[in-house]
Amino acid sequence: MIQEELVLPNGVRLKNRLIKAATSELLATSAGAPADELIRLYRTWAAGTPGLMISGNAIVDDRYPEGARNVILREENAPELTRWAEAAQATGVPLLIQISHAGRQTPRIIAPTPVAPSAVNAVKVLYSFGKPRALEATEIDQVERQFIDAALLVERSGFAGIQIHAAHGYLLSQFLSPETNLRTDAWGGDISGRARLLLNIVSGIRKATSSKFIISVKVSSTDFAGSADDGSYVMRELAKRGADLIEVSGGTYEKPLLFDRATTKKREGFFRDFAGLAKRASSAPIMLTGGMRTPSGMSAAIREGVTDAIGLGRPIIVDPGLPARLLRGESPPPDRSFEHLPHTFRTFAVNAWHAAQLHRIGRGQQTDPKMGILIPMLRHLGAFHWNALTRTKPRPVLAEAAASRG
Ligand SMILES: Cc1cc2nc3c(=O)[nH]c(=O)nc-3n(C[C@H](O)[C@H](O)[C@H](O)COP(=O)(O)O)c2cc1C
């Protein structure tokens, strides 16, 4: 099953069902242009023959990244974006750019007062985040425009498409979740209000781009507060408005389920119940990410109607050649999950350790599955602060820029 082709609603054909999931690489220049290491990394992943690749967070508003070396989707970076698209897709594996706005998950060192649908509490993880203020209605319109403009830049640069990041507690996920969206206007209240911004962005991008441009959306099963009706509504509407692929994940920085081994029960896939619901509600293909590890478990999930495609995160970082091996019937070794560490540190450790592996590939080295955890954590922390201090100052956007020009 995983060997089978997948035809997306817009007619684009993926050669197999294995998809490299988004992995924040933090390999851009201080101005947010893709660096050579990032380009080498994606060439290496393409050689592993997945059916599709999805990049890590690329930011639509440079004031609100999730990390200081995220790619920033601004016009000035178009030449490097084009070089990335050409190199990564040279062998025919399409690459989607994950377009994202971190909202209240923007680190405090970059935005002391980040933005969110509502002025809820700060994200309580390692004292790294400030208390957000609520976005004004005009700013929400601006966010919608920024996502559409980002998608247009991605299309002009030659990428196969985008993935809208509406999962893991970033801005669009904050709008979907009743825990972080307490608005009483058109963008809050019931699910049709909370999903309005995301759905408008999907419709706007579908209208603005060509029919062959792939539109994917990543959602967290945990943002629907257990309501199957709300989840089904969003899945149905995403497909209606032209989404070609819906990825199902879960969790946030505060509730980091996405790396939780404890949630893997008898069968593979942390979020398979929600994936099944999504598949029943939506006419768009579903991609299930999180804890999928064996070729037989993956094929079974497809055969049982839980999902159409399989997302690979940690294992494809440790072994960029993994898709080819899975297609031959081999399984990866177990994850390094650092279960001896306390919960909050564990998520940080998993990120730091995997980032160190990504960076090795970017430099043209082999990964080091036996690497310890202390040095990657210290390096990650040091780089995080250094990169934040040395990043190019954000540029005013749209209305603010117009106002300052008078
Ligand atoms: C180092 C690292 C960076 C990640 N960055 C992103 C990201 O930028 N965007 C995203 O949607 N998910 C991101 N993820 C989550 C993965 O896409 C995936 O959902 C998660 O790793 C679970 O899948 P797995 O069990 O196959 O690893 C990241 C995961 C890791 C390990």
Side-chain angles (χ1 to χ4, degrees):
M1 296 295 280
I2 53 174
Q3 296 84 355
E4 279 172 20
E5 179 181 85
L6 178 64
V7 185
L8 300 179
N10 68 349
V12 173
R13 291 168 181 274
L14 308 184
K15 286 198 181 121
N16 61 60
R17 305 294 180 104
L18 301 175
I19 300 182
K20 189 235 144 237
T23 49
S24 179
E25 303 88 7
L26 305 174
L27 285 174
T29 64
S30 57
D36 290 344
E37 288 85 350
L38 185 62
I39 294 172
R40 185 180 293 123
L41 178 59
Y42 274 85
R43 248 202 246 115
T44 311
W45 267 321
T49 71
L52 178 71
M53 303 183 285
I54 303 174
S55 80
N57 280 285
I59 302 300
V60 304
D61 182 333
D62 58 1
R63 295 170 299 175
Y64 304 111
E66 59 82 47
R69 285 294 186 272
N70 288 149
V71 167
I72 306 289
L73 293 166
R74 57 153 77 108
E75 201 56 53
E76 295 89 311
N77 293 334
E80 289 91 345
L81 288 166
T82 304
R83 211 156 59 77
W84 184 18
E86 282 169 3
Q89 300 176 130
T91 56
V93 183
L95 171 56
L96 309 186
I97 300 301
Q98 187 181 60
I99 58 177
S100 178
H101 183 309
R104 75 193 262 271
Q105 290 188 162
T106 307
R108 187 200 291 274
I109 191 171
I110 295 173
T113 305
V115 292
S118 306
V120 291
N121 60 307
V123 176
K124 285 191 207 74
V125 177
L126 305 173
Y127 303 104
S128 302
F129 304 93
K131 181 174 165 55
R133 67 171 178 84
L135 284 164
E136 309 273 338
T138 51
E139 292 177 303
I140 299 178
D141 289 338
Q142 199 176 78
V143 170
E144 185 181 319
R145 194 64 246 163
Q146 286 174 322
F147 271 92
I148 298 168
D149 285 348
L152 283 168
L153 174 59
V154 169
E155 184 180 42
R156 275 201 305 282
S157 306
F159 293 97
I162 45 95
Q163 179 177 71
I164 301 164
H165 197 352
H168 302 168
Y170 292 107
L171 185 71
L172 298 177
S173 159
Q174 292 158 30
F175 268 89
L176 286 173
S177 168
E179 286 181 27
T180 42
N181 183 347
L182 312 177
R183 300 182 76 95
T184 51
D185 62 7
W187 293 274
D190 67 8
I191 190 62
S192 67
R194 301 200 309 274
R196 186 180 309 279
L197 176 58
L198 170 62
L199 296 176
N200 284 354
I201 289 171
V202 175
S203 302
I205 295 177
R206 187 74 290 164
K207 241 183 249 141
T209 57
S210 86
S211 68
K212 289 289 170 216
F213 190 69
I214 301 170
I215 300 179
S216 171
V217 181
K218 186 167 186 168
V219 288
S220 278
S221 56
T222 40
D223 281 343
F224 302 104
S227 165
D229 286 349
D230 286 3
S232 300
Y233 168 80
V234 173
M235 296 303 122
R236 201 168 47 242
E237 285 298 315
L238 286 173
K240 254 202 228 159
R241 287 158 189 254
D244 297 297
L245 181 68
I246 301 173
E247 179 179 356
V248 170
S249 180
T252 64
Y253 280 180
E254 288 161 302
K255 297 179 190 156
L257 302 174
L258 68 160
F259 297 144
D260 226 342
R261 269 253 210 104
T263 56
T264 343
K265 295 193 192 109
K266 302 170 294 279
R267 288 175 304 170
E268 285 178 50
F270 304 156
F271 309 108
R272 59 184 294 143
D273 291 346
F274 189 81
L277 176 145
K279 227 179 125 40
R280 289 189 295 280
S282 162
S283 58
I286 303 300
M287 162 183 173
L288 174 59
T289 302
M292 302 302 293
R293 294 296 179 266
T294 64
S296 56
M298 295 174 187
S299 289
I302 298 171
R303 203 169 40 245
E304 290 162 16
V306 170
T307 188
D308 300 283
I310 305 295
L312 301 166
R314 287 162 290 170
I316 203 173
I317 293 177
V318 179
D319 177 6
L322 181 65
R325 267 187 259 290
L326 288 167
L327 292 170
R328 287 200 300 268
E330 296 169 30
S331 300
D335 298 323
R336 286 286 296 275
S337 47
F338 308 107
E339 278 174 7
H340 56 289
L341 295 175
H343 208 276
T344 347
F345 281 110
R346 196 152 82 224
T347 305
F348 179 70
V350 168
N351 270 313
W353 190 85
H354 286 88
Q357 305 291 354
L358 290 176
H359 293 184
R360 287 180 70 88
I361 309 172
R363 290 193 297 268
Q365 299 170 326
Q366 299 287 324
T367 59
D368 176 7
K370 294 206 166 65
M371 186 188 286
I373 185 56
L374 190 61
I375 292 178
M377 274 172 79
L378 292 175
R379 278 225 180 106
H380 203 62
L381 205 61
F384 172 81
H385 287 95
W386 174 252
N387 291 342
L389 295 172
T390 54
R391 75 191 287 259
T392 303
K393 223 167 141 306
R395 189 187 46 158
V397 286
L398 300 174
E400 287 169 44
S404 70
R405 280 197 301 271

